[in-house]
Amino acid sequence: MNKKKYKYVVFDFDGVVCDSTNECIVTSWNAWERWNNGNLFRTSLKEFSNNEINTFRPLRPYVRGAGEYYVLMRSINSHNLIKNQKDFDSFRIKWINNIDKFKTLFFKERKRLKAFSMDNWINLHNVYDDVIDEMSFLNSRNKLLIATLKDGESVKQILNKNGINILPKNILDQSQIQSKIDALNFFVKDKKISKKDLCFIDDNVTHLIEPNKTGFDVFLSCWGNTIEEHKQLALQEKIQILNSIKEG
């Protein structure tokens, strides 16, 4: 990837900028507890068994937005086996009526976790230092954009903690977009640029397929927890793979 040729570089957040798996384990567990009318509240990974953690982690990359943690948590707790993206998506269709409701509950529990301790919440995220450095450089030249299905407030809080103060207008989050293609089309119109003036980096290949087919330059990041299935699909779809943000 030749970043110099682009006027803007668009980053997904979870999985690209940081590994948020630990935070998602805690938040989705609390949301599932509330969904089932429970009163327990967890704040730390220490409160989870190794089995709980090791069951959650391999499934996390299939999730594309907060509401889909319902699929993950229900599948785990009802012993519905998920072996691939197709399995996950089939359960999503089956349980679609609960996705938006769980999304609201998930964000409510995230706010509760922040209120308990902001430092504790931020420390549940492991940022990728090389990516933070690159983003800082791009932001200093007004070339940094973010398209995420995370909430924008959380994105800003994590970036601020790492010394990056991005303009709010340069973040599109789950309250503003339904998909990543929505975000890319918005940025093209808003910045008055062409599709080839920006590139997009995401760790979930399913977010990249449509933009790739419609003329955007897209890249699958593989420095985090990107699963082999998504890497193989990227190759099939002729989507470029990045093993490091320093490539190009």
Side-chain angles (χ1 to χ4, degrees):
M1 180 179 75
N2 181 7
K3 294 183 286 290
K4 292 181 180 179
K5 79 174 185 176
Y6 299 109
K7 292 181 179 179
Y8 297 96
V9 180
V10 186
F11 287 79
D12 172 43
F13 199 80
D14 286 345
V16 175
V17 180
C18 67
D19 180 357
S20 63
T21 305
N22 293 345
E23 193 268 353
C24 292
I25 289 174
V26 177
T27 301
S28 60
W29 190 92
N30 288 331
W32 184 251
E33 175 77 357
R34 229 61 65 218
W35 183 271
N36 292 285
N37 300 311
N39 295 314
L40 297 180
F41 178 58
R42 294 182 178 181
T43 62
S44 165
L45 214 63
K46 295 177 181 178
E47 299 169 77
F48 292 81
S49 68
N50 286 335
N51 182 61
E52 286 177 304
I53 294 169
N54 293 333
T55 301
F56 186 101
R57 284 192 182 280
L59 301 179
R60 164 64 185 86
Y62 296 123
V63 175
R64 289 158 296 202
E68 292 190 1
Y69 283 104
Y70 176 85
V71 179
L72 191 156
M73 295 304 294
R74 181 167 175 177
S75 68
I76 290 174
N77 286 280
S78 59
H79 305 291
N80 284 285
L81 185 63
I82 293 177
K83 296 183 291 185
N84 50 46
Q85 188 74 58
K86 184 178 180 180
D87 288 343
F88 186 92
D89 291 343
S90 68
F91 285 125
R92 186 189 189 282
I93 293 170
K94 183 178 180 180
W95 300 328
I96 189 68
N97 291 337
N98 293 321
I99 299 295
D100 285 343
K101 296 174 185 176
F102 196 79
K103 175 181 175 180
T104 299
L105 193 56
F106 183 93
F107 286 126
K108 183 177 180 180
E109 288 304 311
R110 175 171 283 164
K111 287 184 178 180
R112 186 183 184 196
L113 196 58
K114 290 180 184 180
F116 172 78
S117 170
M118 179 61 75
D119 285 341
N120 174 73
W121 176 79
I122 287 180
N123 288 335
L124 287 170
H125 300 78
N126 298 312
V127 299
Y128 301 120
D129 291 335
D130 288 350
V131 179
I132 290 292
D133 289 344
E134 183 66 26
M135 292 176 77
S136 181
F137 174 82
L138 292 169
N139 192 52
S140 70
R141 286 154 178 77
N142 194 33
K143 297 180 65 174
L144 175 64
L145 301 173
I146 294 174
T148 179
L149 296 180
K150 199 180 187 72
D151 60 291
E153 179 185 24
S154 293
V155 170
K156 286 182 283 187
Q157 288 165 336
I158 294 168
L159 290 180
N160 286 345
K161 185 74 172 181
N162 287 277
I164 299 175
N165 297 303
I166 186 172
L167 294 174
K169 69 177 183 178
N170 288 336
I171 301 175
L172 290 179
D173 75 350
Q174 56 83 31
S175 68
Q176 300 160 290
I177 57 173
Q178 294 295 317
S179 66
K180 301 300 176 67
I181 189 71
D182 289 345
L184 299 180
N185 285 329
F186 176 88
F187 283 138
V188 165
K189 184 176 180 181
D190 183 62
K191 304 298 182 183
K192 297 179 175 60
I193 57 176
S194 72
K195 290 181 178 181
K196 294 300 182 181
D197 285 329
L198 61 75
C199 68
F200 176 47
I201 305 170
D202 200 299
D203 69 312
N204 188 315
V205 72
T206 64
H207 288 308
L208 300 173
I209 292 173
E210 186 178 0
N212 185 54
K213 288 180 177 178
T214 55
F216 287 101
D217 287 352
V218 300
F219 300 87
L220 179 69
S221 66
C222 292
W223 49 77
N225 299 313
T226 308
I227 56 179
E228 186 62 30
E229 177 188 350
H230 285 179
K231 295 177 186 178
Q232 292 303 315
L233 184 54
L235 292 174
Q236 292 174 28
E237 296 289 336
K238 295 182 171 54
I239 291 171
Q240 298 180 71
I241 292 176
L242 291 179
N243 292 304
S244 167
I245 191 63
K246 294 182 178 180
E247 290 182 5

